[in-house]
Amino acid sequence: MIQYVTLGIDGADIRAARGTSVLDVAIEYGICIPHLCHVPNLSDLGACRLCIVEHVKNGRSKVTTSCTLLVQEGMVIRSNSEKIRRLRRNIAELLVAQAPNSRAIQDIALRCGVKEVRYPFRNRDCVLCGRCVRACTELFNARAIGFVGRGKERRVASPFGLRAEFCKQCGVCIDLCPMTITPCDGPMAAGEERLCGKCEAQLMVTEPMPDQCTWCQLGEGFQCGRY
Ligand code: SF4
Ligand code: SF4
Ligand code: FES
């Protein structure tokens, strides 16, 4: 039998099934918590950290990723405080610096209020979100790809170069990768990377009500979780 708990997110009382993550519940109730590495129905890694929230307990608040935080009775969550917006902006800025050629990341950064990128551009082709690896493993049990290496050497590859034959050619890893959609004007060459900003006109719509999802459809093709 499903057991329910009641929690508060941004002042709203919400009833949720025990075992659900705070992020899933927020999405279900139309509270927009930006996220990148989360994919509905797959396990959560807490890799991108975009979905951070404040968990308030005994008068103290702890910043934590909402995709890995399970709902509890009486818990109090702030998803859109000034502190969270500032931290999230910085995380989004770092992501754009890593991968300016991802439209999904550019769009998320703009939605988070990033106005400039103060970090050096790296122009990487992978942000280690793990969406592809989890889809391959958990949806298809193929295990054709995985993370290899550590630290700066960490990347997605066929483990030990031996598993490529396990690939079922389903293409889901590509569909779910945030790097597969380039900015509208095409890939930015080395030395020309920038915050795109082309979608700013649409973003203006979200500013007066930043805690409500407006179905902005930014990051077309990149599923934000509301579909
Ligand atoms: S195309 Fe191959 S590597 Fe990609 S998710 Fe499917 S089975 Fe895994
Ligand atoms: S290849 Fe794409 S989906 Fe896979 S970890 Fe890298 S950025 Fe994420
Ligand atoms: S969506 Fe929660 S850490 Fe990426």
Side-chain angles (χ1 to χ4, degrees):
M1 194 173 71
I2 299 174
Q3 292 185 324
Y4 289 91
V5 300
T6 302
L7 68 155
I9 305 182
D10 299 339
D13 287 337
I14 286 175
R15 192 164 171 262
R18 204 178 281 280
T20 319
S21 75
V22 169
L23 178 61
D24 275 330
V25 171
I27 291 169
E28 192 185 331
Y29 278 80
I31 297 169
C32 182
I33 301 179
H35 52 275
L36 177 70
C37 64
H38 169 77
V39 182
N41 304 317
L42 296 186
S43 65
D44 280 300
L45 273 185
C48 73
R49 299 198 60 77
L50 272 171
C51 69
I52 51 169
V53 292
E54 280 186 87
H55 179 191
V56 185
K57 208 173 175 182
N58 301 327
R60 305 179 72 145
S61 90
K62 187 178 166 197
V63 175
T64 181
T65 49
S66 60
C67 65
T68 55
L69 180 65
L70 298 184
V71 295
Q72 295 160 21
E73 179 62 40
M75 84 193 308
V76 175
I77 299 293
R78 291 188 207 134
S79 81
N80 195 27
S81 62
E82 182 50 43
K83 179 178 179 179
I84 287 296
R85 285 201 294 268
R86 179 171 44 80
L87 291 171
R88 192 181 279 143
R89 244 188 336 264
N90 198 51
I91 293 167
E93 190 180 335
L94 281 163
L95 278 169
V96 178
Q98 274 189 63
N101 276 317
S102 161
R103 174 159 179 217
I105 289 172
Q106 289 267 3
D107 289 348
I108 288 172
L110 287 163
R111 291 173 73 180
C112 292
V114 176
K115 303 280 187 216
E116 60 173 335
V117 179
R118 297 162 297 170
Y119 302 100
F121 285 104
R122 306 273 185 214
N123 223 339
R124 299 218 161 103
D125 55 11
C126 172
V127 288
L128 302 176
C129 68
R131 292 168 67 99
C132 56
V133 173
R134 282 171 290 143
C136 185
T137 304
E138 296 172 24
L139 290 181
F140 297 101
N141 201 22
R143 298 176 192 274
I145 49 176
F147 285 115
V148 296
R150 292 183 169 204
K152 287 184 180 167
E153 303 301 317
R154 193 162 166 79
R155 67 192 191 285
V156 173
S158 302
F160 311 109
L162 297 174
R163 296 261 172 95
E165 69 268 27
F166 293 175
C167 176
K168 299 177 181 175
Q169 309 285 328
C170 65
V172 167
C173 52
I174 295 166
D175 290 346
L176 287 178
C177 176
M179 303 302 302
T180 53
I181 308 170
T182 54
C184 313
D185 287 345
M188 299 170 193
E192 294 175 2
E193 302 96 337
R194 64 195 179 284
L195 185 67
C196 179
K198 287 275 165 66
C199 302
E200 191 115 39
Q202 295 175 53
L203 292 163
M204 299 290 282
V205 177
T206 66
E207 280 182 9
M209 39 185 183
D211 58 344
Q212 291 178 25
C213 175
T214 57
W215 291 75
C216 60
Q217 297 182 342
L218 292 177
E220 187 184 343
F222 178 71
Q223 296 158 335
C224 81
R226 288 212 60 177
Y227 56 87

